């Protein structure tokens, strides 16, 4: 399949998955408001939303399998996009499943939440596809506006409302940076197309202050979205205040999509300016890894702990952006799969054990879980080990970190310091990940502990399928790793100028 | 990889049953999954002969029911009773015992059937000079390291597969009766199945790394099965001891693998064999690699100085001793050396070291075996001793002879262990009936059992004659094969010309031959002693118990009979030229494509003509075996023995032997105690608590609290403050761009 992106109909063809998702979301909105606002209708909407995701998924797989290619243009038609889309869709399906069960528990009737989840996913897929800064902006806005609303979904909760407003205000503030960055880069290079920018920004002329300021602003804008220290401060409050499935969605999918765009822009547009952005990004990565983990150590609430943990993981992923080559991109994809499964699985356990009104979510509430719900405790242990990067018991988590470290050490500019910091930060993270395991397995179950309710089917499936997948591909990582190696952004493969990198990718 | 596939495509075995080689370990693995799932369902029901306990659902009430069960059995079901185990355990039949007794042995039988089909295909394929390698998938690919999950079928692995699945099937069938009334019955079969799966991975792996996966896996299963009755501390400790001692060996194995990979860049057997010459003949490097491999073998196969775990491993159920600690796992070291023949052939020093250690172990363990009272301990030391013989064989490059002894030993030692299991089963049942707490494994409590267990008696004598080396039983041929090979290597070949620690290789090998003969003599004595004390003379079990001594059920004696036949005629597998009672050297010719080159490199070409020396050697071996038996019969007086509780302590050297040369005590004093006290006083109190805890842990806690405090101060919830943080961060980033 070949798409000439200058012909509108063929551009639409290259956007089939995105169109399916967004049109599906629009239709679902009609379904949601057609009749009285009841639980049953909301549930139906949720189910249909999962159906839309699967339809989109099928389209993605069809295009991926058909090895679709396209002319240069505003969107990319490459394996990197399809791989990211798959991760985004998986995260959306998981979040929707969890949301259905969660709404039941909290008696939260909101059919529109599923529509918003789909719209946010549409923005994310656009981000994954974008090869133009304007499309990046479009995607980020679509995704963010939906997320703002999602985080304040439960109108009965004052914390939810506070989170939503805070997220919105700060999001708008950071968007200013992003947009200003785009404008400056456009001013310096005369284009918003990242391939063109890449050809203009070369080693000789990158010292243009306009360009440098633009790159700096873009870093700020992206780092806000991925919640890198010190632009992370909204994240704990928002993650804590939002409904748990939405928190899981934001911690996994929103971050994944923003990262995908970040990585693609960095790999394709700014390799020529490496000398300029290398040090700031290195510092941001190091700060994020260490800061996220150290503050996570202090947390008593499971949700807040996972929020800081997700900040720390943004630090690990930033390492792949610093590396900014094919090896980094494949490590990024592999990491994203492991991280998404582990994080969403952990949030699913939080939902399974939570009580109405988001109670029973302190780490101390998990004491002695092994004695009453051994399978749930075992699954949670797998997620914690995976986030920690423990071999075998942590499944893919180990190889995820391994590939990131491998990419860091084999980069054209070896990031030895970052690799060392990554390892040290992981050791610090053992303090709280293993703390959860310790509480679950070694502490006695308090006499007044709540009886665990039966886990709803959807949540049940999410928990055990995630754990199983993590474990299985932790023993057999090679299939995923090979797929990740083949799924590098189009700019990597086509450019002969970066031959050493391509050689590294084909190892 | 592609070459492998291509090779597999054009290989004579390509379209035969061999393509299902992957199923060989998968079948027992499936059995493990089923039995493991069954064992996770904590449901017991009382034995069928025990209506009084019907309906009790858990172990606690099974205890209570047990006491009543004893009486009921005595009246009504004397024959079916099975309070089994080497120790005193709960009698409570698992709810799913029936399913487990079908699944456990069945998967092994299927695996054996498949192995036979592959073997027929291999035999029918004619001359097969290259191994059949089947790659299933790339396991890990990182950098220069590419590890494929691949199996290799050749004559050597085929033999091992047949022994493992064949003997394994018999032992699984035996276990049905032996373990029937153990509350952990499905768990037992789960572990046993898993063991076989890993053992098959070990022998089928096409690279050192896949072999190592199996190597570690069988170690894990061994640990789990030694400590099967983990509620008793001694058993759990024995499991731990085996595990820890084996780690020392595995360290050697790992170092050897690293060295191989660092120097050759590959771990596949075929590639290593092809690239080995680049290591340099008799270079320090190849000797180091071989010796580290041998350290691994010494751990797994219980050789000096790492043999100490094997006697303790007898704490596990007897079928485990038979399968893991006699017939299969402990021979993995012998297999490894045969598999690495190419490497060892390049280092005469390593070869002689292997032979010397093997011979000394054989002699050392045989002397300890002379004075043991526990019937399983005698067999344990005998196993160590026989493993020593095998290393004597493979060390001198007589790979076929070493493998031959491995096979016959699997037959007769499995028979001996299962026979002793049968005896213990009877003793235990008898003591259980009368409520006595005597030691059911001490030979001083046995005696005269031939009256009560005639089948076991006859079969165990066959095995005893085999291990003692009396013709025409199997052990005679295999042991003679090793001893004559050592003698031949001493006369000519690379080893006789080499020097070892400054001594001429020839002299060393002659000495080894002499020590081998001495060991053969001792073997005949201690085995005859065991038989005399167990089956002959008057019975010492006790008046009340004698009525309850009887033969085990047929599900247990059946496998014994099969092993008895194999022990008797197994020698025909590899007849020496000097004794042409059938086809000569079948096994040697079978293994020729795998180990032939290495054999010739170490030992030189062997002449076909029979010399008078050879007849002399055979005559000497037979004479020594018979002399040993005669000495034992004449000197030992079973009638004079008293039961264990009345026994007086022995004196002098007897006491030293009975206490196994105090090796455990020496290890305890010289290694374990200093290590523990050093760990406690220096590492724990000093470094861990003093420095790490107080400085790093508490320090980092203070630091984290400090950072956390700062963080929480910053995390004020004020949106304006957050916006300021972003702005300051943005300034910092822009600043970094400006001032770089």
């Amino acid at each position: 399949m070949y798409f000439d992106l200058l012909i509108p109909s063929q551009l639409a063809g290259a956007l089939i998955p995105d169109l399916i998702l967004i049109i599906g979301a629009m239709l679902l909105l009609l379904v949601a408001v057609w009749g009285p606002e009841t639980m049953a209708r909301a549930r139906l909407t949720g189910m249909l939303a999962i159906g839309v995701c699967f339809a989109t998924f099928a389209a993605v797989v069809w295009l991926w399998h058909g090895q679709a290619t396209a002319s240069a243009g505003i969107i990319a038609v490459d394996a990197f996009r399809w791989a990211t889309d798959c991760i985004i869709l998986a995260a959306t399906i998981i979040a929707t499943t969890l949301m259905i069960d969660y709404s039941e528990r909290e008696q939260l009737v909101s059919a529109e939440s599923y529509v918003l989840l789909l719209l946010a996913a549409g923005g994310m897929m656009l981000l994954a596809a974008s090869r133009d800064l304007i499309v990046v902006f479009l995607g980020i806005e679509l995704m963010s506006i939906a997320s703002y609303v999602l985080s304040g979904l439960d109108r009965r909760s004052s914390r939810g409302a506070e989170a939503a407003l805070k997220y919105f205000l700060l999001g708008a503030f950071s968007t200013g940076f992003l947009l200003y960055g785009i404008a400056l880069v456009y001013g310096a290079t005369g284009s918003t197309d990242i391939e063109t920018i890449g050809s203009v920004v070369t080693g000789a002329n990158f010292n243009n202050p306009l360009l440098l300021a633009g790159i700096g602003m873009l870093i700020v804008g992206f780092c806000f979205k991925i919640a890198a220290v010190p632009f992370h401060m909204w994240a704990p409050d928002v993650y804590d205040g939002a409904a748990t499935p939405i928190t899981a969605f934001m911690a996994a999918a929103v971050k994944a999509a923003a990262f995908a765009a970040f990585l693609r822009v960095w790999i394709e547009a700014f390799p020529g300016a490496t000398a300029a952005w290398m040090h700031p990004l290195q510092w941001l990565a190091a700060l994020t890894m260490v800061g996220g983990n150290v503050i996570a150590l202090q947390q008593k609430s499971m949700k807040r702990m996972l929020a800081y943990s997700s900040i720390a993981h943004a630090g690990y992923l930033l390492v792949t952006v610093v590396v900014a080559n094919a090896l980094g991109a494949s490590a990024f994809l592999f990491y994203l799969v492991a991280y998404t499964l582990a994080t969403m699985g952990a949030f699913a356990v939080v939902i399974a054990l939570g009580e109405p009104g988001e109670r029973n979510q302190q780490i101390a509430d998990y004491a002695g879980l092994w004695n009453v719900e051994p399978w749930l405790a075992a699954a949670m242990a797998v997620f914690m080990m995976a986030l920690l990067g423990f071999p075998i018991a942590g499944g893919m988590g180990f190889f995820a970190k391994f590939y990131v470290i491998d990419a860091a050490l084999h980069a054209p500019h070896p990031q030895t310091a970052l690799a060392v910091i990554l390892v040290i930060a992981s050791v610090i993270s053992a303090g709280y990940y293993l703390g959860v395991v310790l509480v679950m397995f070694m502490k006695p179950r308090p006499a007044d502990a709540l009886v665990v309710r039966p886990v709803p089917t959807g949540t049940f499936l999410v928990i055990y399928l995630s754990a199983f997948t993590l474990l299985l591909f932790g023993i057999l990582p090679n299939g995923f790793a090979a797929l990740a190696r083949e799924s590098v952004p189009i700019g990597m493969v086509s450019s002969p100028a970066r031959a050493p990198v391509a050689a590294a990718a084909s190892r | 990889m592609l070459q492998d596939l291509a090779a597999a495509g054009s290989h004579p075995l390509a379209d035969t049953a061999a393509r299902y080689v992957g199923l060989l370990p998968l079948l027992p693995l499936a059995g493990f999954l089923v039995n493991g799932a069954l064992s996770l369902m904590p449901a017991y029901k009382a034995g069928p002969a025990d209506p009084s306990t019907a309906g009790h659902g858990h172990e606690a009430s099974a205890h209570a029911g047990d006491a009543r069960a004893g009486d009921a059995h005595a009246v009504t079901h004397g024959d079916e009773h099975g309070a089994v185990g080497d120790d005193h355990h709960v009698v409570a039949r698992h709810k799913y015992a029936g399913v487990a007794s079908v699944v456990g042995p069945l998967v092994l039988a299927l695996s054996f059937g498949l192995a036979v089909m592959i073997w027929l295909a291999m035999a029918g394929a004619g001359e097969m000079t290259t191994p059949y390698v089947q790659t299933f998938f790339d396991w890990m690919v990182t950098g220069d390291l590419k590890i494929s999950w691949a199996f290799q079928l050749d004559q050597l692995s085929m033999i091992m597969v047949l022994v493992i699945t064949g003997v394994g099937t018999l032992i699984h069938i035996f276990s049905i009766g032996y373990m029937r009334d153990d509350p952990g019955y499905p768990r037992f079969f789960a572990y046993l199945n898993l063991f076989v799966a890993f053992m098959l991975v070990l022998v089928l792996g096409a690279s050192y790394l896949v072999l190592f996966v199996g190597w570690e896996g069988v170690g894990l299963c061994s640990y789990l099965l030694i400590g099967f009755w983990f509620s008793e501390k001694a058993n759990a400790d024995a499991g731990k001891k085996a595990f820890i001692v084996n780690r020392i060996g595995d360290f050697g194995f790992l170092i050897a693998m690293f060295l191989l990979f660092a120097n050759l860049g590959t771990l596949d057997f075929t590639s290593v064999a092809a690239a080995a010459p680049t290591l340099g003949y008799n270079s320090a490097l190849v000797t180091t690699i071989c010796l580290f491999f041998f350290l691994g073998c010494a751990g797994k196969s219980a050789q000096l100085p790492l043999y100490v775990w094997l006697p303790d491993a007898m704490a596990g159920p007897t079928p485990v001793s038979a399968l893991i600690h006699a017939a299969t796992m402990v021979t993995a070291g012998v297999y490894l050396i045969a598999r690495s023949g190419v490497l060892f052939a390049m280092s005469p020093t390593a070869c002689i070291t292997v032979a010397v250690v093997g011979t000394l172990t054989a002699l050392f363990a045989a002397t300890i075996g002379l004075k043991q009272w526990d019937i399983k301990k005698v067999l344990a030391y005998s196993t160590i001793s026989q493993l020593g013989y095998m290393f004597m064989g493979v060390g001198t490059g007589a790979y076929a002879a070493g493998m031959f002894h491995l096979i016959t030993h699997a037959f007769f030692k499995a028979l001996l262990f299962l026979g002793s299991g049968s005896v213990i089963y009877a003793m235990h049942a008898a003591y259980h009936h009368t409520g006595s707490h005597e030691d059911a494994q001490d030979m001083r409590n046995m005696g005269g059992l031939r009256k009560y267990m005639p089948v076991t008696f006859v079969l165990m004598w066959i095995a005893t004659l085999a291990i003692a080396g009396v013709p025409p039983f199997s052990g005679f041929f295999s042991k003679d094969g090793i001893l004559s090979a050592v003698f031949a290597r001493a006369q000519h070949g690379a080893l006789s010309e080499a020097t070892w620690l400054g001594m001429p290789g020839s002299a060393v090998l002659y000495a080894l031959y002499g020590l081998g003969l001495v060991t053969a003599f001792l073997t005949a004595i201690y085995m005859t002693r065991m038989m005399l004390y167990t089956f002959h003379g008057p019975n010492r079990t006790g008046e009340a118990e004698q009525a309850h001594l009887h033969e085990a059920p047929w599900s247990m004696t059946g496998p014994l009979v099969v092993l008895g036949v194999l022990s008797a005629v197994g020698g025909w597998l590899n007849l020496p030229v000097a004794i042409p009672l059938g086809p000569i050297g079948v096994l040697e010719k079978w293994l020729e494509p795998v180990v032939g080159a290495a054999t010739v490199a170490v030992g030189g070409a062997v002449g076909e003509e029979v010399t008078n020396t050879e007849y002399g050697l055979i005559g000497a071996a037979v004479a020594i075996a018979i002399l040993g038996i005669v000495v034992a019969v004449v000197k030992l007086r079973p009638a004079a023995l008293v039961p264990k509780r009345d026994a007086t302590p022995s004196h002098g050297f007897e006491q030293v032997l009975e206490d196994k040369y105090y090796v455990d005590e020496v290890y305890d004093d010289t290694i374990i105690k200093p290590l523990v006290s050093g760990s406690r006083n220096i590492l724990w109190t000093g470094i861990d608590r003093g420095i790490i805890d107080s400085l790093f842990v508490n320090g980092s806690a203070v630091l984290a609290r400090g950072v956390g405090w700062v963080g929480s101060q910053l995390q004020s919830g004020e949106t304006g403050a957050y916006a300021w943080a972003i702005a300051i961060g943005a300034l910092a980033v822009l600043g970094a761009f400006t001032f770089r």
Side-chain angles (χ1 to χ4, degrees), chain B residues 57 101 161 410 629 673:
Chain B
S101 14
V161 167
I629 294 174
K673 278 183 187 154

Side-chain angles (χ1 to χ4, degrees), chain A residues 355-368:
Chain A
E355 292 290 320
E358 299 241 329
R359 287 179 299 112
N360 205 38
Q361 293 185 167
Q362 299 297 305
I363 294 174
D365 295 330
Y366 287 61

Side-chain angles (χ1 to χ4, degrees), chain B residues 275 334 365 389 516 585 604 666:
Chain B
V334 181
Y389 268 118
V666 169

Side-chain angles (χ1 to χ4, degrees), chain B residues 236 260 309 593:
Chain B
L260 262 190
W309 64 271

